Amino acid sequence: MKLYINDLSINITGNNKNKAVIFVHGFPYNHKMWDKQIEYFNKIYECISYDVRGLGASEVGDGQYTMEKYAEDLFSIIDKLKLETPILCGLSMGGYLSYRAIEINQSAFNSVIFCDTKAQSDSDEIKLIRANKIKQINDAGLDLFIDEFLPTCFSTNYKFNCVEKYNEIKSLCKANNPIGVKGALIAMLSRTDSTHFLSKIKIPTLHLCGEFDTLTPPVLMEETASKISNSQFSIVPNSGHMSPIENPDFVNKTIENFIISNN
Ligand code: MLT
């Protein structure tokens, strides 16, 4: 089923008698990055994936987004669909959103799966890189930005051995409205830091990180997980920053075991 809530394009499949899992994609992708997870989990769980405001099929509006607005969007989906303590699963930017959402109200969630993400806000250096990327999109268009950014997200193995799929993902990213992409860059660079909150997280958390992830490396994610009382950390073999796409079998099995052991 496909529906719109507050300008957001939402996809729902699976069994609504069972626990809901909400998948929040990374930047600058859309809900389709979770295809392999949804195909696997909708046999048992209710799977909800949506396009973050400004990306994919969700409304672009004025392009003025904040992480706070993204979190508000997530809570409005939970409220409108009357979901009872869903499991939250976010990758990278979706993970930043997830950290902010549980900081606002962790009791709204059963547990959280963090894929290839971090709790830290952007350093000044990264803020300036993002400012330059916005300028680049304005001056040279979105395609060049995607051509330069996407290779940093995937492992060499994936880029060379899964060319067709990689090119499909590239086209999907290029199909975004540049205003939405720039809005996401501003939301990320202006987000707050969640590291002070790690010791206060009480719900179960799973932290998955691609072995070759250079954007949010395993050492950083492992250190973050160690600061959370109820946490599990796993390295995803043969994968870069996009572990759910690059090694779906490992990711799905690990998530499945985590959900079963916490329900
Ligand atoms: C993502 O995958 O969402 C991005 O790499 C996040 C970022 O640029 O910080």
Side-chain angles (χ1 to χ4, degrees):
M1 179 170 57
K2 201 170 173 67
L3 71 154
Y4 275 86
I5 294 176
N6 291 357
D7 297 341
L8 302 166
S9 168
I10 325 250
N11 308 279
I12 307 174
T13 62
N15 186 346
N16 67 6
K17 304 264 177 302
N18 289 332
K19 209 77 192 142
V21 187
I22 307 182
F23 294 92
V24 191
H25 65 82
F27 167 87
Y29 305 91
N30 66 29
H31 72 280
K32 287 197 67 56
M33 66 147 285
W34 299 110
D35 277 356
K36 291 278 183 215
Q37 282 62 51
I38 288 166
E39 193 184 304
Y40 187 83
F41 286 106
N42 73 12
K43 293 185 191 90
I44 299 177
Y45 301 99
E46 180 178 26
C47 293
I48 294 151
S49 58
Y50 69 101
D51 293 346
V52 170
R53 182 171 295 277
L55 297 170
S58 287
E59 287 295 322
V60 172
D62 61 7
Q64 311 286 300
Y65 321 133
T66 57
M67 201 52 66
E68 214 56 16
K69 179 65 185 167
Y70 284 167
E72 195 185 295
D73 283 340
L74 173 66
F75 284 114
S76 76
I77 292 170
I78 295 172
D79 283 353
K80 291 268 166 53
L81 298 179
K82 299 190 184 359
L83 303 176
E84 208 183 303
T85 57
I87 296 155
L88 182 59
C89 177
L91 178 129
S92 201
M93 181 181 77
Y96 309 158
L97 196 166
S98 303
Y99 272 118
R100 185 59 200 139
I102 62 169
E103 203 175 330
I104 294 168
N105 183 12
Q106 61 177 309
S107 64
F109 302 96
N110 167 275
S111 50
V112 190
I113 299 144
F114 294 104
C115 302
D116 303 275
T117 191
K118 59 184 174 192
Q120 289 79 4
S121 55
D122 282 1
S123 62
D124 283 353
E125 192 190 348
I126 297 176
K127 284 185 174 127
L128 291 173
I129 291 172
R130 296 214 203 265
N132 263 317
K133 293 299 175 192
I134 291 170
K135 183 172 170 1
Q136 180 189 39
I137 296 170
N138 284 334
D139 293 348
L142 182 61
D143 285 7
L144 179 64
F145 167 71
I146 300 291
D147 285 338
E148 288 180 3
F149 179 72
L150 221 61
T152 65
C153 295
F154 288 86
S155 64
T156 309
N157 179 44
Y158 191 84
K159 280 180 287 195
F160 288 96
N161 294 319
C162 304
V163 178
E164 201 179 317
K165 189 74 197 136
Y166 178 72
N167 287 335
E168 215 176 276
I169 296 165
K170 195 189 269 190
S171 306
L172 174 150
C173 292
K174 288 183 178 179
N176 281 310
N177 185 322
I179 293 174
V181 174
K182 289 186 287 179
L185 285 165
I186 292 170
M188 289 192 287
L189 78 79
S190 61
R191 75 189 190 275
T192 54
D193 192 296
S194 295
T195 49
H196 70 95
F197 178 67
L198 298 174
S199 61
K200 300 191 183 92
I201 299 177
K202 300 290 175 245
I203 54 175
T205 61
L206 169 65
H207 305 252
L208 291 170
C209 188
E211 103 174 273
F212 305 120
D213 184 345
T214 52
L215 298 180
T216 50
V219 62
L220 180 67
M221 280 198 78
E222 186 167 22
E223 195 197 330
T224 302
S226 74
K227 295 186 176 139
I228 301 175
S229 56
N230 192 347
S231 68
Q232 182 193 324
F233 169 75
S234 287
I235 291 187
V236 183
N238 303 317
S239 173
H241 184 61
M242 300 304 293
S243 59
I245 296 178
E246 295 181 73
N247 193 343
D249 292 345
F250 183 92
V251 167
N252 292 349
K253 278 272 166 244
T254 312
I255 292 179
E256 183 174 39
N257 291 336
F258 170 75
I259 295 179
I260 290 169
S261 66
N262 288 294
N263 283 284

